[in-house]
Amino acid sequence: MSVFLSYDLADHQFAEQISTALRDVGAEVVSINLQLSVGESGLKDGAGLDRVLENVDYVITVFSNSYIKDSWLQLELQALIIREARLKREFIVPIVVDDCVVPAWLKARMLDYRDPSERTNFDPITTKVCGTNQVFVVMNMTNEDVKSAYEGVIEPELKNRGYEVKNAFGLYGEGVITMQVLESISKSGLVVADLTGARPNCYLEAGYALALKKRIIFTVFKTDEIHFDLAQYRVVRWNTESDLRKELRVWLDAFGPLKLAAKT
């Protein structure tokens, strides 16, 4: 896993701490001065940036007031946003260290480090970037259609990609939410949450995953409604298992790799 950090010199010390935490879990931190190696023209046409960052999996942007005020870094940010759009997957990992303006569409996945006391805990960053091969599936397994979709589509699609699949019913008896479920969600790099049937435990588990800023794929049977604030999120609405399989593959491709390869 290769990572590039975009930050202002005023935040150099924190950026170095992030780099150390990433290297400790086996990530490669790429050090490139884009202003020297690419230049403004290379950023604007995209070719120079694509060449330099060809093998970079993620870019961490450290948002601060000094970052926002720097005209070069704003050019750099716009170029990175365009590259993410071309890649059609999450490429930018936004981190905020003080009260500053963050692009609205990045806020949903922003990692908040405005509290200085949090700046020794880099687990959210390393998990977000390096990930884990565990996927937790939230769904109502008492519904036969949903159970069939899990067994025929979701579980095999995930396992075929090398992921370890977990769900509440694999941990213990049905219908119970305990710390084991929440702990399993917290250790997962991705959560697939099917909200068919509007089971309260499914909404609770999905909400917990959102609070942890996990990558989430929401699914629901076509005729069911999405409740509460979750209605604002993009949802895979499926009518047949074939529909679900097709859309799930698109989302998994868009999210990119979950797991960091082990050190050699």
Side-chain angles (χ1 to χ4, degrees), residues 187-245:
K187 291 180 179 178
S188 297
L190 172 69
V191 173
V192 177
D194 187 275
L195 302 177
T196 303
R199 288 283 290 264
N201 64 296
C202 292
Y203 273 86
L204 176 58
E205 292 167 21
Y208 183 71
L210 281 173
L212 295 179
K213 298 186 183 298
K214 294 293 181 180
R215 298 175 178 181
I216 305 178
I217 300 175
F218 288 108
T219 68
V220 69
F221 193 70
K222 190 174 182 179
T223 58
D224 280 35
E225 294 295 326
I226 298 293
H227 300 286
F228 309 114
D229 291 341
L230 295 186
Q232 67 181 299
Y233 292 91
R234 293 178 63 187
V235 178
V236 174
R237 294 186 175 274
W238 57 277
N239 189 44
T240 66
E241 291 186 12
S242 178
D243 295 338
L244 180 58
R245 181 178 294 105

Side-chain angles (χ1 to χ4, degrees), residues 32-49:
I32 305 170
N33 186 319
L34 293 181
Q35 192 165 10
L36 294 177
S37 60
V38 176
E40 184 173 342
S41 61
L43 282 186
K44 288 183 176 179
D45 68 21
L49 185 71

Side-chain angles (χ1 to χ4, degrees), residues 2-132:
S2 180
V3 184
F4 172 72
L5 269 69
S6 175
Y7 62 92
D8 185 76
L9 285 177
D11 304 307
H12 175 74
Q13 183 176 354
F14 184 54
E16 281 297 304
Q17 292 173 329
I18 295 172
S19 298
T20 299
L22 289 168
R23 291 189 183 101
D24 285 345
V25 296
E28 176 190 5
V29 179
V30 178
S31 179
I32 305 170
N33 186 319
L34 293 181
Q35 192 165 10
L36 294 177
S37 60
V38 176
E40 184 173 342
S41 61
L43 282 186
K44 288 183 176 179
D45 68 21
L49 185 71
D50 287 346
R51 173 179 50 80
V52 172
L53 299 184
E54 180 181 3
N55 297 315
V56 170
D57 297 294
Y58 292 101
V59 169
I60 293 176
T61 53
V62 182
F63 284 97
S64 64
N65 281 308
S66 56
Y67 186 93
I68 295 299
K69 291 175 182 177
D70 189 286
S71 57
W72 167 261
L73 289 173
Q74 290 310 293
L75 283 175
E76 186 172 296
L77 176 61
Q78 291 305 311
L80 293 171
I81 289 172
I82 292 170
R83 177 165 173 76
E84 177 175 275
R86 285 200 299 270
L87 291 174
K88 297 181 180 180
R89 68 169 180 85
E90 287 190 10
F91 178 62
I92 300 171
V93 179
I95 295 172
V96 62
V97 296
D98 57 28
D99 293 320
C100 61
V101 178
V102 177
W105 69 279
L106 288 175
K107 284 186 178 180
R109 50 181 145 125
M110 182 180 73
L111 299 179
D112 193 343
Y113 279 86
R114 287 175 294 182
D115 183 349
S117 67
E118 294 291 327
R119 294 179 193 171
T120 57
N121 177 21
F122 297 103
D123 287 349
I125 298 174
T126 57
T127 299
K128 182 81 172 180
V129 172
C130 301
T132 167

Side-chain angles (χ1 to χ4, degrees), residues 167-180:
N167 61 57
F169 304 97
L171 297 174
Y172 38 78
E174 295 186 8
V176 180
I177 297 178
T178 71
M179 290 305 295
Q180 279 184 288

